[in-house]
Amino acid sequence: MIENEVVKTQYGNIAVYKKGTGKKAVLLLHGAGCDSAMLSWREVFNIFTEDYSVYAFDFLGYGHSDQADDLTGDRFYDTHIDCVKSVVEHYHLTGFVLAGLSMGGAIAIGYALRCPENIKALIPVDSWGLSEKMPFHRFSYWYVNRTDLTLAQYRWCAKYRWIAKWSISYALIGNKALITDALIDEVMQACAGDTAGRSMLNFQRSSADQYRARPYYLNELKNLEMPVIYIIGEKDPLVPPNDIAKAAKENPNSRVKIFKGCKHWSVKEQPRKFCEIVDFITTDTLQNV
């Protein structure tokens, strides 16, 4: 059974989800846009056994957490990393596996660089923070900073079912059999109103300057002493697999796992494979992962 709890932080209340009371602890961070803890990680929650204590939470501006419409710029990542600290301290987590998807991957890496002592292993999934530039960087920078068309895109996804379905198929999920009516309904509902669009716009405007993406962790990855498993969907159109391979070369504690046929939502497509990787990390050596 998945339990819900509200954890108070200096920035506002965040909704936390917890399952299990096992000794093996896992903390899962979701991505940007219409995402939330349960949207990305529900299948993973359902697979983990009672050997685990599994935690996930909605970032500020997402899901059932407090809104944060003005959270942009240099404050963006610092605030979200502080919220991770708040959850870790609230539950007294030590020796836990930290996994983050996309935006959550960048936040997870940032937390691991600042607070490495508590982390048993780090799993960035289709992660932001490892690419030096966005696709078509100069145009993308202009687009997100000079227009509000991101809001329009999310309104269209909430209104038109075919647009929501196309968006999921294009960027998020490679196996079309997994794009169910229930999933489309959930995405459309998450896009309703301007909350998801504004959260995405905050992320976009905080994640690049005129010349490169932010954060860009490549030169800091050598400081990660815990095992790092980079997961990337083979067909991810948003994060170049070559950037992940380059990141993994920065220290000997790193490995790359490619999820065949998957796009940006690789852990939603293959949740069991993700859980198997965590099982190996918590019971065996990195060399066998």
Side-chain angles (χ1 to χ4, degrees):
M1 179 181 296
I2 299 174
E3 302 173 359
N4 299 346
E5 185 176 356
V6 173
V7 172
K8 295 181 179 179
T9 77
Q10 61 179 310
Y11 308 104
N13 295 332
I14 55 178
V16 183
Y17 309 86
K18 179 181 180 295
K19 177 188 174 184
T21 58
K23 294 182 179 179
K24 302 175 183 179
V26 182
L27 177 58
L28 307 169
L29 309 181
H30 68 78
C34 67
D35 207 359
S36 63
M38 286 296 97
L39 184 53
S40 273
W41 297 107
R42 183 182 296 111
E43 292 83 1
V44 166
F45 261 79
N46 291 335
I47 290 171
F48 272 123
T49 68
E50 290 301 317
D51 292 336
Y52 286 89
S53 295
V54 187
Y55 304 83
F57 68 91
D58 294 331
F59 284 116
L60 293 169
Y62 294 83
H64 296 289
S65 292
D66 285 350
Q67 300 306 305
D69 291 338
D70 61 343
L71 183 56
T72 57
D74 293 337
R75 296 173 50 242
F76 183 86
Y77 286 97
D78 288 341
T79 298
H80 287 313
I81 290 170
D82 281 348
C83 287
V84 177
K85 291 181 182 178
S86 295
V87 171
V88 170
E89 291 170 1
H90 180 84
Y91 292 104
H92 307 289
L93 299 181
T94 58
F96 64 94
V97 175
L98 178 62
L101 168 67
S102 193
M103 176 189 78
I107 294 168
I109 295 169
Y111 176 85
L113 288 167
R114 299 183 190 187
C115 305
E117 62 278 359
N118 288 327
I119 301 177
K120 181 179 181 65
L122 174 67
I123 309 180
V125 181
D126 299 279
S127 182
W128 186 248
L130 303 173
S131 297
E132 185 174 9
K133 294 186 177 183
M134 297 184 291
F136 309 103
H137 188 92
R138 295 294 292 273
F139 171 79
S140 298
Y141 177 79
W142 171 86
Y143 180 89
V144 301
N145 285 280
R146 300 298 182 185
T147 79
D148 287 334
L149 289 175
T150 293
L151 298 180
Q153 290 176 332
Y154 278 76
R155 291 167 186 162
W156 296 336
C157 281
K159 185 176 181 179
Y160 300 108
R161 191 174 189 83
W162 71 269
I163 293 180
K165 183 177 181 179
W166 177 86
S167 298
I168 296 168
S169 176
Y170 170 75
L172 300 178
I173 290 183
N175 182 354
K176 295 187 185 303
L178 298 177
I179 306 176
T180 63
D181 288 340
L183 176 60
I184 297 170
D185 289 342
E186 193 170 8
V187 168
M188 291 181 70
Q189 184 177 358
C191 290
D194 277 346
T195 299
R198 291 194 182 280
S199 293
M200 184 62 169
L201 199 56
N202 287 346
F203 164 66
Q204 291 173 327
R205 290 177 173 174
S206 303
S207 296
D209 60 27
Q210 191 171 359
Y211 301 103
R212 76 174 195 174
R214 296 187 304 181
Y216 181 48
Y217 289 121
L218 187 69
N219 293 331
E220 300 177 68
L221 298 176
K222 61 181 178 293
N223 298 322
L224 294 172
E225 298 182 359
M226 75 287 293
V228 183
I229 309 297
Y230 296 101
I231 293 175
I232 181 70
E234 179 188 28
K235 298 181 178 180
D236 189 337
L238 305 180
V239 178
N242 287 343
D243 290 350
I244 305 302
K246 185 177 180 181
K249 293 179 180 179
E250 288 301 303
N251 65 57
N253 298 316
S254 300
R255 300 288 186 275
V256 177
K257 299 298 289 186
I258 298 173
F259 281 21
K260 298 293 185 181
C262 295
K263 293 188 177 181
H264 195 60
W265 239 345
S266 58
V267 291
K268 196 168 181 71
E269 290 199 71
Q270 295 194 25
R272 190 168 299 280
K273 186 171 182 178
F274 172 83
C275 293
E276 289 172 353
I277 289 171
V278 175
D279 278 336
F280 276 119
I281 291 173
T282 55
T283 61
D284 212 326
T285 62
L286 180 61
Q287 285 73 21
N288 292 327
V289 174

